[in-house]
Amino acid sequence: MRELLINHIDNKNLIYLIEEGKIVEYYEEGKEHKNLDGNIYIGKVQNIVPGLEAAFINLGEGKNAFIHKKDILPKQDETKEKFENKVSITKLIKPGDPILVEVKKDKMQTKGARVSTHVGLRGRMIVLMPNAPYVTLSSKITDRNRRTELKELVSNELPEGIGAIIRTTADKAKNEDIIEDIRYQMEKWKKIQSTEFENYPVKIYDSGGIFKKVIIDLIDFDLDKIIVNTKENEVRVKQIIEEIGGKVRLEVEERDLSKKYDIIKEISKMNSNKIWLKSGGFITIDRTEALTAIDVNTGKFTGNTNLEETIYKVNEEAAKEIARELRLRDIGGIIVIDFIDMHKPENIEKIVKALQEFCLADRSRIQIEDFTKLNLLELTRKQISSKRLD
């Protein structure tokens, strides 16, 4: 059973994804958690930093956004070859210029948003890329014949010079549904292009924030129902479902939804950086702007076999909990895990494979590297919603 709970309380929406009675994802939307991801602006070039080959863009949203030269130059398919362009950023833009940009990474406590001229309009089946003349596919679509079929289908529907990323949901979708999604995203792009404005900076497209993003991403992945607790959110969800052409059961329970499934208890645990394991071991999670460090400890667990086996059992249980916490806390960026040192190479390999398997449930992109010479396991995860650090 997969449910999406949208609990409006204290002038903000608390969004919970519940799987088999347990909370696995959590997001907030409100004045203090305003999400800019996916919004499109006519920004104003505020100033240029030639030494960084970058510039700061005024979006009219407080702190100026950051853009690198590569996000101004034409989009290239870097999966095929690397491109170099030595043109100076000062030849591309100048202070005061208007520039159409999309927010790719939301602002944080001390950093402004990261923006790009490479717009990507997110649909159920595709991400439309108006400035990229190529079509790529999700790596989770593994059947070669289906990949070829999808690429031909999407390429034939797109105008010359416009590309797309074919999402995982397209794998099992009907071709007519994919075509409908392409055409809808194209209409959306035409409206954005035709937007008239007198002054800038100005927002010309609102992506709907994490509220809409979560619904779009989950509606085709065995989502049984959406539960809201206000009429306002009922209307909002209905509009999104109608817009994207999805189907899901929608229920209204006019009460505090956080009393379901021990949500309050689970969320309170997220405020602690120490998580106890059932075995008696524990992990600590320390988040900074640069990276997240996770430490595994045996704690009270002594085991009843040899030391190596005891350590492996704690590490395996920790790997499962770490995969869960990455998803629940939506931890993104560089993550370094300090597992308890193991001496048997086969145990080290088994832990890496175990973590990979536990992370399969995560719908975000995770890349797990090997252990370093200092016995630290490195991985990266793409954050779904840019939230403030704990």
Side-chain angles (χ1 to χ4, degrees), residues 47-148:
N47 59 295
I48 298 172
V49 187
L52 296 178
E53 293 284 22
F56 289 96
I57 310 297
N58 182 358
L59 302 179
E61 297 282 4
K63 192 179 294 292
N64 289 335
F66 178 88
I67 190 168
H68 193 270
K69 182 180 74 171
K70 68 181 179 63
D71 291 313
I72 301 173
L73 291 168
K75 183 75 172 174
Q76 308 280 15
D77 186 356
E78 295 182 358
T79 62
K80 294 183 178 179
E81 56 181 309
K82 294 292 182 181
F83 295 84
E84 291 187 7
N85 197 312
K86 297 182 179 180
V87 62
S88 170
I89 190 172
T90 58
K91 301 292 185 182
L92 301 173
I93 55 174
K94 62 180 184 296
D97 280 353
I99 183 170
L100 189 148
V101 293
E102 178 189 0
V103 175
K104 297 296 186 179
K105 186 175 182 181
D106 209 346
K107 57 186 178 182
M108 299 176 68
Q109 283 179 319
T110 59
K111 292 182 179 179
R114 180 76 180 257
V115 297
S116 173
T117 61
H118 306 149
V119 172
L121 296 178
R122 192 183 190 90
R124 283 173 61 199
M125 309 297 171
I126 68 157
V127 177
L128 185 74
M129 299 190 297
N131 304 320
Y134 55 87
V135 175
T136 62
L137 297 92
S138 164
S139 59
K140 293 183 180 180
I141 302 175
T142 55
D143 184 272
R144 288 186 179 182
N145 292 333
R146 182 57 174 161
R147 287 178 69 87
T148 300

Side-chain angles (χ1 to χ4, degrees), residues 19-45:
E19 291 181 356
E20 304 302 330
K22 292 185 178 181
I23 177 173
V24 294
E25 294 182 24
Y26 165 65
Y27 309 99
E28 290 188 19
E29 178 197 66
K31 290 182 179 179
E32 295 182 358
H33 296 270
K34 188 177 181 182
N35 191 287
L36 305 181
D37 282 348
N39 288 354
I40 298 175
Y41 297 82
I42 300 293
K44 180 180 180 180
V45 179

